[in-house]
């Protein structure tokens, strides 16, 4: 991953297997954002020191579930007052890890933080 300026918030997105490299993913996320949030099935959950909240595997969600889930996340992001320029997403799975800006489309017609 290329170096980036640390944002206020880093959102953790699971592409299947996030938990297999949890410690490494959290270390990278801490470098990307001052505050970490896991994108769980229940929405945004702040990751506190020592609490490893595994994000929901978005690849396991049906298109309808993904639509409802992303709408819930977007509502929570707006309620928290996050703007796209102060947040970044760390996407990680078994074979991929990278960062995406808030507002990136994660499926056809579905964006996070848009």
């Amino acid at each position: 991953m290329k170096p980036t300026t640390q944002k206020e918030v880093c959102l953790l997105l699971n592409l299947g297997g996030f938990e297999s490299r949890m410690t490494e993913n959290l270390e990278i996320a801490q470098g990307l954002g001052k505050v970490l949030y896991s994108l769980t099935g229940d929405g945004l959950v702040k990751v506190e020191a020592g609490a490893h909240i595994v994000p929901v595997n978005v690849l396991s969600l049906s298109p309808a579930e993904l639509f409802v889930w992303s709408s819930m996340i977007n509502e929570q992001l707006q309620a928290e007052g996050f703007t796209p320029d102060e947040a970044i997403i760390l996407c990680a799975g078994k074979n991929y890890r990278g960062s995406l800006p808030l507002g990136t489309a994660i499926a056809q017609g579905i964006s996070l933080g848009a």
Side-chain angles (χ1 to χ4, degrees):
M1 282 180 6
K2 65 182 182 179
T4 182
T5 305
Q6 190 179 36
K7 303 282 187 172
E8 288 298 315
V9 177
C10 181
L11 307 174
L12 306 176
L13 182 68
N14 184 352
L15 298 175
F18 186 96
E19 62 281 1
S20 65
R21 294 173 28 191
M22 180 68 101
T23 302
E24 190 177 338
N25 289 333
L26 289 175
E27 287 173 2
I28 291 169
Q30 289 169 339
L32 293 174
K34 296 175 185 174
V35 179
L36 307 181
Y37 283 89
S38 183
L39 300 177
T40 71
D42 295 325
L44 290 176
V45 175
K46 190 172 183 179
V47 177
E48 302 290 341
H52 302 318
I53 309 296
V54 178
V56 67
N57 179 353
V58 295
L59 300 179
S60 69
L61 300 177
S62 71
E65 289 171 325
L66 185 58
F67 182 77
V68 170
W69 176 81
S70 66
S71 295
M72 175 184 62
I73 294 293
N74 287 340
E75 288 173 9
Q76 291 176 344
L77 289 171
Q78 290 174 359
E80 291 290 329
F82 298 141
T83 61
D85 62 331
E86 65 187 14
I88 192 164
I89 302 169
L90 175 66
C91 303
K94 290 180 184 176
N95 301 314
Y96 175 82
R97 179 172 45 220
S99 60
L100 299 170
L102 193 61
T104 298
I106 58 171
Q108 187 173 355
I110 299 174
S111 300
L112 285 181

